[in-house]
């Protein structure tokens, strides 16, 4: 089993703690001039997203987590699983509801997503930061109002509901930031 | 194009550094303390298991039979040999080396100011450390607390008497695995609690001296004659950062030899490199090291404090990754 010693610790390193995969967020070397050296780290649990602090005796080893970040194309969902494909090898992977989480509402077929694999199983899926989606349902627009003041809810083709300006109409394409869920602009393509 | 040829410190930080070096030399010239310059390469390495040394392959004329020399983790042994030879009060500004120590407050090669005062004990030397720091940093409050006092205040137990179990329980919240806790010896546990829960709170806006360390952490300090459970050793903290470590020096050669052998036994047990005990230092102590107090002060950290920066790389020209 691969492992890392504390001297290899740095932000982004993936390690296994109590059976869960973690990524190191911050690593601080703590040592009295005379005395035992420690590495105090902040780590994020890659399953729960929770950040916790851990301390290691410097020189100790920690098991490496087999975690890789890959880019995959979203194919389709069968309602239970969301299916992705590696564009270079055509290998397919299926991610369940707990892995997809809230990101499902942004997934549009053929979009490229960041899929994190742990032991070759999807651990998390990050949709593209910006997506262009069609409005399938919204109240009729107020013609002539292009001020952008005020807004209204609009349902997008993937099921997500976002606040859009009053002038947006059904059938239009809008560009949305998936991290904040905020409308950015109208989109052409 | 690579840009790692550039210094990591700003021009202003380098200027502050130069000013501090000049001020230190002025401070000691005024007090008639002699500047000395001892070798960075020496035949003996540190035996302290917590001080990892670099060694250098060494051939050619004058090379030792083992074919290697150690980069000094501090100039202490050489300076004590000068003291035994009758040098009187001496100071040195030098680079020292510790393998593997790297972080916000550490670079494996770092700058030390070390000085010795024959005939002084630890409290007189603390006075002078405070004088120098206030001279360089500006006026600020100074306090002195014993190791037991700070430990009781922040951990709620006596470091000399608390049972191991209680110390372990107190360290429970620090995210240290239970199994790993058991691999720490008692001093390791004390270090864990001190460095995580006490030090960050020490010296806030002031100079805080912590003195009378547990005898098990005496290093090269003598034990207190009236209470041998503690050693006449002190450390200085400012804004949660350790700045200096000083001793009322051990002068007893046979006790020194025993400590070296104990440390070497620990090193052997842990499978660490095994430098010989420094025979030249022991010979100097047998010839007679005068009673004295000595202190080492981290120069880079002092410059950090003057510049108001958070990372050691901001005050040294080329940290190890750019060396």
């Amino acid at each position: 089993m691969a492992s890392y010693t504390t001297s290899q610790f740095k932000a982004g390193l993936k390690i296994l703690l109590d059976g869960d995969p973690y990524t190191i967020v911050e690593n601080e070397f703590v040592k009295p001039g005379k005395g035992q050296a420690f590495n105090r780290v902040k780590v994020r649990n890659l399953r729960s997203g929770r950040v916790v602090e851990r301390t290691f005796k410097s020189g100790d080893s920690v098991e490496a987590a087999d975690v890789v970040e890959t880019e995959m194309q979203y194919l389709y969902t069968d309602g239970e699983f969301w299916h992705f494909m590696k564009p270079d090898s055509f290998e397919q992977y299926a991610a369940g509801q707990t892995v997809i989480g809230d990101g499902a509402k942004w997934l549009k077929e053929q979009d490229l997503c960041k899929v994190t694999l742990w032991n070759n199983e999807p651990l998390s899926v990050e949709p593209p930061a910006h997506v262009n989606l069609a409005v399938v349902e919204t109240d009729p627009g107020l013609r002539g109002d292009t001020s952008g003041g005020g807004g209204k809810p609009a349902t997008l083709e993937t099921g997500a509901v976002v606040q859009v300006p009053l002038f947006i109409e059904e059938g239009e394409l809008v560009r949305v930031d998936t991290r904040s869920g905020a409308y950015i602009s109208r989109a052409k393509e | 194009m690579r840009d790692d040829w550039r210094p990591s410190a700003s021009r202003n930080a380098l200027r502050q550094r130069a000013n501090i070096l000049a001020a230190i030399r002025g401070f000691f010239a005024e007090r008639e303390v002699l500047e000395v310059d001892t070798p960075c390469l020496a035949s003996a390495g540190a035996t302290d298991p917590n001080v990892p040394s670099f060694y250098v392959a060494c051939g050619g004329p004058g090379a030792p039979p083992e074919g290697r020399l150690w980069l000094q983790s501090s100039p202490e042994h050489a300076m004590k040999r000068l003291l035994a030879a009758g040098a009187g009060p001496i100071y040195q500004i030098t680079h020292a080396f510790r393998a593997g120590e790297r972080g916000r407050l550490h670079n494996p090669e770092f700058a030390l100011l070390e000085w010795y005062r024959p005939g002084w004990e630890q409290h007189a030397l603390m006075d002078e450390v405070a004088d120098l720091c206030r001279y360089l940093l500006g006026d600020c409050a100074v306090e002195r607390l014993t190791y037991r006092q700070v430990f009781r205040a922040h951990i709620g137990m006596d470091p000399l008497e608390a049972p191991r179990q209680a110390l372990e329980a107190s360290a429970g919240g620090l995210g240290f695995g239970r199994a790993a806790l058991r691999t720490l010896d008692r001093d390791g546990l004390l270090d864990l609690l001190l460095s995580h829960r006490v030090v960050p709170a020490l010296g806030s806006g002031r100079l805080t001296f912590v003195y009378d360390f547990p005898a098990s952490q005496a290093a090269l300090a003598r034990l207190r004659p009236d209470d041998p459970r503690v050693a006449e050793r002190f450390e200085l903290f400012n804004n949660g950062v350790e700045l200096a470590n000083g001793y009322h020096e051990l002068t007893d050669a046979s006790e020194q030899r025993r400590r070296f052998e104990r440390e070497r036994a620990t090193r052997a047990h842990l499978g660490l490199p095994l430098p010989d005990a420094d025979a030249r230092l022991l010979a100097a102590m047998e010839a007679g090291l005068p009673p004295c107090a000595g202190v080492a002060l981290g120069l880079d950290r002092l410059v950090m404090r003057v510049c108001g920066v958070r990372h050691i790389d901001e005050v040294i020209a080329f940290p190890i990754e750019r060396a």
Side-chain angles (χ1 to χ4, degrees), chain A residues 7 26 28-40 53-57 60, chain B residues 48 50 98 101-102 104 106 174-176 183-184 188 191-192 195-196 233 242 245 247:
Chain A
S7 62
E26 215 179 283
E28 184 156 26
F29 179 71
V30 179
K31 183 181 189 304
K34 307 268 173 187
Q36 177 68 51
F38 301 100
N39 285 69
R40 181 164 49 194
E53 289 204 12
R54 294 290 293 262
T55 302
F56 299 90
K57 196 162 74 166
D60 277 1
Chain B
D48 183 334
N50 287 318
R98 297 197 180 182
E101 299 194 354
R102 181 70 176 124
R104 187 171 71 81
H106 295 85
L174 296 173
F176 204 83
T183 69
L184 291 175
D191 283 340
L192 176 66
S195 59
H196 285 66
R233 170 181 165 202
E242 178 190 334
N245 178 46
Y247 310 129

Side-chain angles (χ1 to χ4, degrees), chain B residues 105-186:
Chain B
L105 297 170
H106 295 85
N107 191 56
E109 177 174 359
F110 59 103
L112 269 185
L113 164 64
E114 182 149 330
W115 78 96
Y116 290 87
R117 285 292 200 168
W120 291 23
E121 49 69 59
Q122 62 169 347
H123 284 282
L125 188 56
M126 279 184 243
D127 286 340
E128 189 164 62
V129 173
D131 286 347
L132 175 69
C133 288
R134 281 186 297 193
Y135 178 62
L136 299 172
L137 305 175
D139 200 23
C140 63
V142 179
E143 66 180 349
R144 285 178 207 204
L145 301 161
T146 65
Y147 187 98
R148 293 177 85 177
Q149 280 173 323
V150 293
F151 213 88
R152 277 206 200 100
H154 294 275
I155 308 293
M157 54 184 84
D158 187 317
L160 303 183
E161 280 162 13
R164 186 188 161 94
Q165 231 175 349
L167 294 173
E168 273 190 30
S170 183
L174 296 173
F176 204 83
R178 291 183 69 83
L181 266 186
R182 267 175 249 124
T183 69
L184 291 175
D185 60 14
R186 188 180 174 90

Side-chain angles (χ1 to χ4, degrees), chain B residues 203-274:
Chain B
S204 168
R206 63 183 68 188
L207 300 172
T208 298
F209 288 96
V210 175
Y211 66 98
D212 283 358
F213 274 63
S216 53
Q217 300 177 24
L220 287 83
R222 54 175 232 167
L223 302 185
R224 251 180 76 163
D226 57 334
D227 183 2
R229 292 177 306 164
V230 298
E232 294 184 51
R233 170 181 165 202
F234 66 88
E235 288 202 340
L236 169 62
F237 298 90
N238 176 245
N239 294 337
V241 174
E242 178 190 334
L243 283 184
N245 178 46
Y247 310 129
H248 188 188
E249 302 290 348
L250 179 68
T251 52
D252 178 344
S254 49
E255 168 64 12
Q256 184 65 70
R257 191 184 302 274
R258 276 195 295 277
R259 289 192 196 176
F260 279 155
E261 287 315 319
R262 207 181 307 144
E263 289 176 339
R264 279 170 42 79
T266 305
R267 277 186 167 266
H269 176 70
L270 297 172
L272 298 172
L274 209 54

Side-chain angles (χ1 to χ4, degrees), chain A residues 36-112:
Chain A
Q36 177 68 51
F38 301 100
N39 285 69
R40 181 164 49 194
V41 296
K42 277 193 185 129
V43 288
R44 188 172 60 244
N45 185 316
L46 288 171
R47 283 182 351 154
S48 68
R50 244 166 50 96
V51 174
V52 292
E53 289 204 12
R54 294 290 293 262
T55 302
F56 299 90
K57 196 162 74 166
S58 296
D60 277 1
S61 298
V62 184
E63 224 175 282
D66 177 15
V67 171
V68 282
E69 284 171 356
T70 60
E71 218 167 53
M72 290 194 205
Q73 195 172 45
Y74 170 56
L75 299 177
Y76 64 96
T77 177
D78 56 24
E80 193 182 351
F81 288 98
W82 283 255
H83 297 270
F84 297 85
M85 182 183 76
K86 272 189 179 170
D88 50 352
S89 64
F90 306 113
E91 268 177 281
Q92 291 194 22
Y93 293 83
Q97 174 69 54
T98 52
V99 170
I100 293 286
D102 228 23
K105 66 181 181 191
W106 304 116
L107 292 180
K108 188 177 163 186
E109 288 162 18
Q110 296 182 17
D111 273 355
L112 282 175

